[in-house]
């Protein structure tokens, strides 16, 4: 029987340690514990599969930073789900999210400086970011409206398109604007979670973030469509260009 690699296993135990610390500090009900435990176990399984598929035996230096950030995200997940039954501790949620976002700027630098960048690490980092945005969207949706869930669900809808549609499986060119849009989502959702702005101002901020997200994903989908349909693209261009 194959043994689980040390990285995911350590991460799972670290997750339970963080959950215990959160429970001791602000309390954590049964729903929160179930959500946190499920997050810890599922994350370990997915990371084990990711390492195996990538042919890696252990984490790189940057992956350990991402793993630390993931344990904070797991605690946020537990608090958000726990909030179904009781008022969640906003200060604790915001504090965990802010630290997780700050660490998001560290793992990439560590990977570049140590020369240990990898496809696994990039995917690990991306999925952690995406799930945090989904969690914050669910948290904010209680007060700002359920439409906010579309912010967190956008990338998962994009992935569904990749899995179900062949032309969406192309390779997108790098674009710095994606990072700007991602940062905007984080700022908007953290601000809404903290409740530091009036409701109307928060709503406008969330709408702007959503509009930028639609533009970014829409541009990527259009690029993939054109790249995956060269015949159609040639015909369209031929209709637009004057005949010689």
């Amino acid at each position: 029987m194959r043994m689980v690699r040390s990285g995911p296993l350590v991460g799972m135990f670290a997750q339970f340690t963080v959950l215990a610390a959160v429970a001791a500090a602000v309390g954590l009900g049964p729903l929160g514990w179930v959500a946190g435990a499920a997050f810890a176990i599922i994350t370990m399984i997915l990371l084990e599969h990711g390492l195996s598929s990538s042919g890696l035996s252990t984490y790189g230096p940057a992956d350990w930073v991402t793993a630390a950030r993931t344990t904070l995200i797991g605690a946020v997940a537990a608090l958000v789900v726990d909030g179904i039954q009781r008022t969640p501790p906003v200060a604790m949620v915001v504090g965990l999210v802010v630290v997780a976002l700050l660490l998001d700027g560290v793992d990439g630098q560590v990977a570049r400086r140590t020369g240990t960048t990898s496809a696994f690490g990039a995917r690990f980092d991306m999925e952690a970011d995406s799930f945090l945005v989904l969690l914050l969207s669910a948290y904010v949706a209680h007060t700002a409206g359920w439409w906010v869930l579309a912010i967190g669900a956008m990338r998962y809808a994009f992935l569904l398109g990749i899995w179900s549609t062949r032309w969406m499986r192309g390779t997108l060119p790098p674009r710095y604007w994606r990072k700007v849009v991602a940062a905007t989502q984080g700022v908007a959702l953290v601000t809404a979670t903290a409740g530091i702005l009036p409701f109307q101002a928060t709503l406008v901020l969330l709408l702007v973030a959503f509009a930028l997200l639609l533009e970014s994903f829409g541009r990527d989908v259009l690029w993939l469509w054109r790249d995956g349909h060269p015949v159609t693209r040639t015909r369209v261009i031929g209709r637009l260009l004057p005949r010689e």
Side-chain angles (χ1 to χ4, degrees), residues 41-191:
I41 295 170
I42 293 173
T43 299
M44 183 197 69
I45 293 172
L46 292 176
L47 289 173
E48 168 63 20
H49 175 73
L51 285 172
S52 177
S53 300
S54 303
L56 300 173
S57 59
T58 187
Y59 287 165
D63 297 330
W64 285 107
V65 178
T66 309
R69 182 157 59 91
T70 303
T71 61
L72 301 180
I73 295 172
V76 173
L79 289 171
V80 169
V81 174
D82 198 52
I84 296 174
Q85 292 185 326
R86 64 191 184 100
T87 303
V90 177
M92 175 65 76
V93 173
V94 172
L96 290 170
V97 170
V98 169
V99 175
L101 291 176
L102 290 175
L103 287 176
D104 188 27
V106 174
D107 48 12
Q109 295 182 12
V110 171
R112 288 187 292 271
R113 291 182 180 181
T114 58
T116 55
T117 56
S118 67
F120 168 80
R123 183 67 182 272
F124 188 8
D125 177 68
M126 185 183 301
E127 296 303 335
D129 291 341
S130 299
F131 192 70
L132 179 58
V133 170
L134 180 62
L135 284 174
L136 293 179
S137 298
Y139 183 90
V140 172
H142 288 285
T143 54
W146 291 104
W147 68 269
V148 181
L149 282 173
I151 295 177
M154 189 80 66
R155 181 171 181 274
Y156 295 99
F158 186 78
L159 287 177
L160 181 61
I162 292 174
W163 290 333
S164 60
T165 310
R166 182 174 297 179
W167 57 264
M168 285 188 65
R169 298 172 190 170
T171 302
L172 288 166
R175 188 153 52 91
Y176 182 75
W177 178 245
R178 293 190 193 98
K179 296 182 179 180
V180 175
V181 173
T184 303
Q185 312 310 307
V187 171
L189 289 169
V190 170
T191 301

